[in-house]
Amino acid sequence: MSTKGKLGLTIPMQEQPSSPEFGNYQLAAVSQWLRELPTTNLGVVNKALYEFLIELNKTTLKPQARYEILETVLPHVSYLSQALSKNYLDEQEASSDKKRKINLLIEILHIELNYGYKIIIENLGSRLLKPKGLLLKAMHRSMIISLDILQRSYQMYNTPPQNLWKEMHLLYTFAEHLRMLNKPVEHFDARPIRHATIQNAYKHALLLSCTNPYRLRTREIFRLNFALENWAPLLSLSRVQDKTEHVYMINLNEDKGPHFIKIAE
C-alpha cells in the first residue's frame, strides 16, 4: 500500500522491521546476502532483489541506514539491468514479447529502488533542520533512476509510468528551493558523467523527451542517451511569461514532459 508524503512523493507505507534473514536490515547482513547471490542466474537475482526491495521499502529505518543499504544494492541492480538489457538491445535475436517482458522486469526493479530514495527524501525533506548532504544524494539518485525509467519507457515505446514526470518536476523545484540544483554528487560507479548534478540530470530527461524518441529505434535511443550527457549542461532553463520567446515549455504542475510551443510570427 502506498501513500503521498508531505512533499508530494508517492512512497510505500512503513512498519517495524520483521526480517530476521537480514538481521533487521543490518548493513553487514545485507552485504553478506548480496555476495551470496548466484550472479550467473539473472532470473533468480532479479526475483531476489525485487522481493528484498519490497520488504525494505515497507520497513521503518533511519534515513542514513536506509541510504547505506540502498547504495549497497544499487550496483547489483545496475549490473543486472545491463545484463538483461543486452537481450532486448539486440533486436535481431530478441522477440518483441521477450524484450517487453525483460524491460518490465527492469522497470519494476527500478521503481522499487526509487521508492527507497524517495522515502529518504520525504523523511528528511519535511524536517525543519535538514541534513542537506544526505538529502542531496538521495534526491540526485532518485532523479537519475527516474531518468533511467524514462529512457526504458521510450525504448519500448511505452508511456512513462504515472507521476514519473510530476515527481521529477517536484524534485527539481524542491532542489531549486534548497539551492541544491548545481551541487555535484559522486556517481556510484565513479563514471565521469556530465550530469552529476540534479539540474543536469533533469535537463537530460527534458532533452530526451524533446527528441521525439518514439520515432527512434531502441538502439538509437540507447546511443542518444549517452550523447545527451554532454548536451544537457548546455541547455538553459528559465521561468517566462511570454510564450513566444521559447520553443519548448514545461508545466511543473503537470505529469508531462516538455511540449512544443509554436512561435508567433
Side-chain angles (χ1 to χ4, degrees):
M1 182 178 297
S2 62
T3 184
K4 285 275 188 182
K6 292 182 179 180
L7 301 178
L9 299 174
T10 301
I11 57 174
M13 297 182 67
Q14 281 90 58
E15 56 190 23
Q16 291 303 312
S18 59
S19 181
E21 179 181 356
F22 304 108
N24 288 333
Y25 293 103
Q26 296 296 315
L27 184 60
V30 173
S31 298
Q32 179 63 31
W33 175 75
L34 288 169
R35 285 194 294 270
E36 294 174 354
L37 288 176
T39 54
T40 56
N41 192 329
L42 300 182
V44 171
V45 174
N46 180 82
K47 184 173 184 291
L49 290 175
Y50 174 66
E51 292 178 348
F52 171 80
L53 286 171
I54 287 179
E55 291 303 315
L56 176 66
N57 291 336
K58 293 192 299 184
T59 302
T60 301
L61 289 174
K62 292 182 178 180
Q64 181 66 42
R66 186 182 302 278
Y67 179 80
E68 291 175 356
I69 291 174
L70 290 171
E71 290 294 285
T72 304
V73 173
L74 182 56
H76 295 266
V77 173
S78 179
Y79 165 78
L80 177 66
S81 299
Q82 291 175 18
L84 288 172
S85 294
K86 292 178 181 178
N87 290 297
Y88 74 78
L89 284 175
D90 190 345
E91 300 178 46
Q92 294 182 343
E93 295 186 8
S95 67
S96 295
D97 288 343
K98 182 179 180 181
K99 286 189 288 185
R100 290 188 179 279
K101 183 177 179 181
I102 291 172
N103 191 70
L104 181 61
L105 291 174
I106 298 173
E107 180 180 295
I108 292 174
L109 195 61
H110 279 76
I111 288 174
E112 289 298 327
L113 183 64
N114 201 15
Y115 274 146
Y117 288 106
K118 290 194 294 180
I119 291 170
I120 296 172
I121 297 166
E122 283 288 349
N123 287 345
L124 298 180
S126 57
R127 295 182 182 180
L128 183 61
L129 296 176
K130 301 172 177 57
K132 291 189 175 181
L134 180 56
L135 182 57
L136 170 64
K137 290 186 285 187
M139 292 174 67
H140 180 263
R141 291 287 191 266
S142 182
M143 188 69 84
I144 291 292
I145 295 169
S146 298
L147 170 61
D148 190 84
I149 294 171
L150 182 69
Q151 175 202 337
R152 295 181 189 280
S153 295
Y154 289 146
Q155 284 179 320
M156 298 311 298
Y157 310 105
N158 293 333
T159 302
Q162 186 176 7
N163 289 326
L164 182 70
W165 273 115
K166 190 170 185 178
E167 293 193 343
M168 292 178 77
H169 298 330
L170 192 154
L171 287 172
Y172 176 83
T173 54
F174 189 48
E176 183 181 43
H177 172 71
L178 297 176
R179 299 182 180 180
M180 291 182 174
L181 281 178
N182 293 306
K183 291 187 178 295
V185 180
E186 182 179 353
H187 200 261
F188 78 93
D189 62 1
R191 189 161 58 90
I193 61 173
R194 298 286 197 285
H195 56 46
T197 67
I198 293 173
Q199 177 160 262
N200 283 344
Y202 179 69
K203 292 194 293 186
H204 185 155
L206 298 179
L207 285 175
L208 181 60
S209 177
C210 291
T211 62
N212 200 357
Y214 293 119
R215 300 185 63 180
L216 301 175
R217 295 180 180 273
T218 298
R219 191 171 288 277
E220 289 175 334
I221 296 174
F222 181 79
R223 291 170 178 168
L224 174 64
N225 209 43
F226 280 100
L228 293 180
E229 287 187 7
N230 295 310
W231 299 346
L234 305 177
L235 176 66
S236 61
L237 303 176
S238 60
R239 299 182 185 276
V240 295
Q241 299 296 327
D242 186 357
K243 294 183 179 181
T244 63
E245 294 181 3
H246 293 70
V247 178
Y248 285 93
M249 298 287 291
I250 310 155
N251 188 332
L252 298 177
N253 296 315
E254 293 183 346
D255 187 26
K256 297 178 182 178
H259 57 279
F260 182 77
I261 297 294
K262 184 177 181 180
I263 300 178
E265 297 180 356

